Amino acid sequence: MSVATPGSAQRSALGAPHRPAPAGLAALLTDALTSMRRVLLHYRHSPGLVAASLAVPVVMVVLFGYVFGSAMRVPGGDYREFLLPGLFAMVSVNGITPTMVGAARDVARGAADRIRSMPVSRFGVLLGTALADLLVSTVVLVLLAAVGLLSGWRAHRGPGLALAGFGLLLLFRFVMTWLGTCLGLAAGREEVAGQLAVLTFPVAMVTNSFVPTGGMPGWLRVVAEWNPISSVVAAARQLFGNPAGSAAGWPLHHPVTASLLWAALLLALCGPLAVRGYHRHGR
């Protein structure tokens, strides 16, 4: 958050002076809630986007669980129980794309400049976007868990650890939202952000989400096991009591600790970079 003084007034790309944002936690929360409402209204007026968000989990369970799962075997249990934590993590990873495109759209269409010309907290605006995405992803995660229960998936270690597993997945989604904001601001255009979003697919695939890492070539296995997504997937399997497959690297032997360390590192990097990029873009 920046506070401008009368003698150091800055001007936005629209030519309007940047007015200082009101200080204090209450003002920050007000800005965050306003920004959150703006994003949720976008979902409300985009029924196709909402329908796709709700349909994708069902398609993923059917496609991966029943089509590919008929030929897959994992040690220690059923493939669908192995798969569901991976699909839960994919819901978290998929938060990058809409956030990245949304940030680029705001920059390209001048919405970011209009917001910057108002006396609002930059951090509050971005926090509201992240919270709105977190709310939407909670709904999608609940639906995916319901479809998983119908397909035979179970959390075997009790409701407390199950809630801890879902909490960890939502924390990762929150982190991915800040990463998406950084990338979207760097892209600056929706078309570029859309192309960058394609690159998240191979990153998401080189993990333990769909198959154990034990059968991969040595160098690829190291990459997959140190992928933050693999840590989150392994942590969810551990907390839910689902089969984990074979693993060799430290992150998969200590998945909960590794996931929290990855989340802290990525949030410490992406949070300040996103606020700085939002403040500086277009000046």
Side-chain angles (χ1 to χ4, degrees):
M1 180 175 67
S2 67
V3 177
T5 62
S8 61
Q10 301 166 345
R11 289 184 175 275
S12 70
L14 296 178
H18 288 297
R19 288 178 288 173
L25 180 61
L28 173 67
L29 293 177
T30 299
D31 293 340
L33 290 175
T34 302
S35 176
M36 180 179 175
R37 182 171 177 270
R38 172 176 174 260
V39 176
L40 293 178
L41 283 175
H42 175 70
Y43 276 97
R44 179 183 174 183
H45 294 294
S46 306
L49 179 60
V50 175
S53 299
L54 297 178
V56 166
V58 179
V59 173
M60 291 173 75
V61 172
V62 173
L63 178 63
F64 289 99
Y66 288 93
V67 177
F68 295 161
S70 61
M72 298 293 295
R73 298 291 181 272
V74 294
D78 179 75
Y79 178 71
R80 281 197 290 277
E81 289 223 321
F82 172 86
L83 173 69
L84 258 295
L87 295 184
F88 293 152
M90 288 302 105
V91 172
S92 301
V93 176
N94 289 341
I96 294 178
T97 300
T99 307
M100 185 162 50
V101 173
R105 181 177 58 241
D106 280 353
V107 170
R109 298 184 182 182
D113 279 329
R114 288 196 292 273
I115 293 172
R116 278 198 301 268
S117 69
M118 295 186 286
V120 297
S121 163
R122 277 64 168 165
F123 176 68
V125 171
L126 298 179
L127 179 63
T129 300
L131 292 177
D133 182 80
L134 196 61
L135 181 61
V136 172
S137 64
T138 300
V139 174
V140 176
L141 202 55
V142 168
L143 177 62
L144 181 56
V147 176
L149 289 171
L150 292 174
S151 72
W153 169 79
R154 296 290 184 273
H156 298 283
R157 301 189 63 187
L161 289 180
L163 288 175
F166 285 117
L168 186 64
L169 290 162
L170 289 174
L171 171 64
F172 193 61
R173 173 77 181 223
F174 185 74
V175 173
M176 290 297 100
T177 303
W178 288 96
L179 176 59
T181 301
C182 285
L183 296 174
L185 291 172
R189 295 176 57 188
E190 289 181 72
E191 298 83 358
V192 178
Q195 293 299 318
L196 284 176
V198 176
L199 298 178
T200 62
F201 180 73
V203 175
M205 292 302 293
V206 184
T207 64
N208 61 350
S209 299
F210 303 103
V211 295
T213 57
M216 298 180 183
W219 65 271
L220 188 60
R221 180 175 183 168
V222 172
V223 173
E225 293 188 345
W226 282 89
N227 187 324
I229 301 171
S230 293
S231 297
V232 174
V233 174
R237 285 175 182 144
Q238 184 180 89
L239 293 170
F240 294 143
N242 296 143
S246 61
W250 182 87
L252 301 193
H253 283 293
H254 307 83
V256 175
T257 302
S259 299
L260 293 176
L261 289 175
W262 274 121
L265 176 63
L266 291 173
L267 199 56
L269 288 173
C270 297
L273 283 175
V275 175
R276 182 181 174 85
Y278 195 82
H279 179 67
R280 293 177 60 86
H281 208 287
R283 291 173 57 188

